[in-house]
């Protein structure tokens, strides 16, 4: 298993290794619980230490294994291959309930999943929107820029083609969900900050609520 991770690191495919580990875990029958547990540990191991493992295969042994939770099957089977040891501080017994954590450049004001669950959009106080891969937490491209003040609400259309954002700058912006390109000019008919945006189930209409005490409907 660890030799396979080494190879995936060396060929620049650590993210692909996570996808493969996930598929193996799903394919295994429930009757083979020890093996399912090991492959679940493998997924979490790759997610937790993707950056150092991607940088250098030796980090599997030098830093990742040394910090692997001690109650996992992965540690029980391969912990003796770690080339370093953590001597001070308490080791966590199992994986955190948080799958991954991404550090934003500014306070986060709104989050939304894409309809297929493959990526996440987060609106930040600095007026930008970040798109993240749900599997790995990696940023997808550059932040979307167009608002002059912080984002208050973000939402994907049900068909997954469009992302809408509302801001303290009193505007609503539509974005191409695939490319991140803005779709037209900002919508500017509200006189105060936008508090909420939401699509109709058929993705054809966008509703926006505002501090000006009005709701507006827009042709998406």
């Amino acid at each position: 298993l660890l030799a396979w991770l080494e190879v995936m690191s060396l060929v620049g495919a650590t993210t692909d290794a996570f996808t493969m580990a996930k598929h193996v875990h799903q394919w295994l029958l429930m009757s083979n619980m020890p093996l399912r547990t090991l492959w679940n540990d493998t997924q979490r191991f790759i997610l937790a230490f993707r950056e150092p493992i991607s940088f250098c295969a030796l980090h599997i042994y030098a830093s990742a294994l040394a910090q692997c939770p001690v109650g996992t099957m992965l540690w029980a089977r391969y912990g003796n291959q770690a080339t370093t040891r953590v001597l001070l501080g308490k080791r966590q017994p199992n994986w955190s309930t948080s799958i991954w954590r991404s550090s934003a450049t500014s306070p986060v004001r709104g989050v939304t999943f894409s309809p297929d669950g493959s990526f996440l959009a987060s609106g930040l106080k600095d007026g930008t929107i970040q798109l993240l891969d749900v599997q790995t937490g990696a940023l997808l491209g550059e932040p979307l820029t167009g608002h002059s003040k912080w984002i208050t609400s973000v939402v994907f259309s049900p068909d997954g083609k469009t992302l809408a954002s509302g801001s303290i700058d009193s505007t609503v912006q539509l974005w191409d969900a695939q490319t991140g390109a803005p779709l037209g000019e900002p919508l500017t008919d509200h006189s105060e900050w936008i508090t909420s945006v939401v699509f109709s189930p058929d993705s054809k209409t966008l509703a926006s609520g505002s501090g000006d005490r009005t709701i507006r409907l827009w042709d998406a």
Side-chain angles (χ1 to χ4, degrees):
L1 178 63
L2 299 186
W4 169 69
L5 280 177
E6 284 186 54
V7 172
M8 297 302 281
S9 170
L10 290 168
V11 300
T14 304
T15 299
D16 294 332
F18 169 79
T19 303
M20 294 167 69
K22 182 178 180 180
H23 288 326
V24 172
H25 177 259
Q26 293 172 341
W27 290 336
L28 290 169
L29 298 176
M30 291 299 292
S31 58
N32 199 338
M33 286 305 294
L35 202 53
R36 282 178 60 87
T37 300
L38 178 61
W39 279 99
N40 180 66
D41 285 346
T42 303
Q43 294 178 67
R44 297 303 304 271
F45 184 78
I46 297 170
L47 276 178
F49 307 109
R50 180 177 59 89
E51 187 173 349
I53 292 174
S54 297
F55 177 73
C56 177
L58 291 179
H59 272 295
I60 296 170
Y61 309 96
S63 59
L65 270 178
Q67 300 177 69
C68 181
V70 294
T72 62
M73 183 175 290
L74 187 70
W75 173 258
R77 295 190 64 167
Y78 300 110
N80 62 348
Q81 296 190 41
T83 58
T84 58
R85 288 287 188 272
V86 177
L87 300 179
L88 300 176
K90 186 178 179 180
R91 294 281 297 279
Q92 63 182 38
N94 217 319
W95 301 109
S96 167
T97 53
S98 173
I99 298 175
W100 52 258
R101 182 180 67 181
S102 179
S103 298
T105 56
S106 177
V108 179
R109 294 291 183 175
V111 292
T112 183
F113 281 102
S114 61
D116 63 3
S118 62
F119 54 99
L120 182 77
S122 60
L124 308 185
K125 189 177 179 180
D126 64 6
T128 66
I129 299 170
Q130 290 183 341
L131 299 179
L132 303 108
D133 186 301
V134 170
Q135 300 291 354
T136 65
L139 286 173
L140 299 174
E142 296 296 320
L144 310 185
T145 58
H147 289 290
S148 60
K149 296 181 180 179
W150 73 61
I151 309 294
T152 55
S153 181
V154 286
V155 64
F156 282 100
S157 60
D159 63 11
K161 296 180 179 179
T162 308
L163 176 69
S165 58
S167 169
I168 289 292
D169 66 10
S170 304
T171 69
V172 175
Q173 180 67 60
L174 298 177
W175 313 83
D176 186 307
Q178 297 301 316
T179 66
L183 299 174
E185 296 297 319
L187 311 179
T188 59
D189 284 355
H190 283 293
S191 61
E192 294 190 30
W193 67 89
I194 308 301
T195 57
S196 181
V197 288
V198 64
F199 279 96
S200 61
D202 62 5
S203 302
K204 294 181 179 179
T205 306
L206 179 73
S208 58
S210 169
D212 64 14
R213 302 184 181 184
T214 68
I215 297 170
R216 290 189 177 273
L217 298 180
W218 312 86
D219 186 321

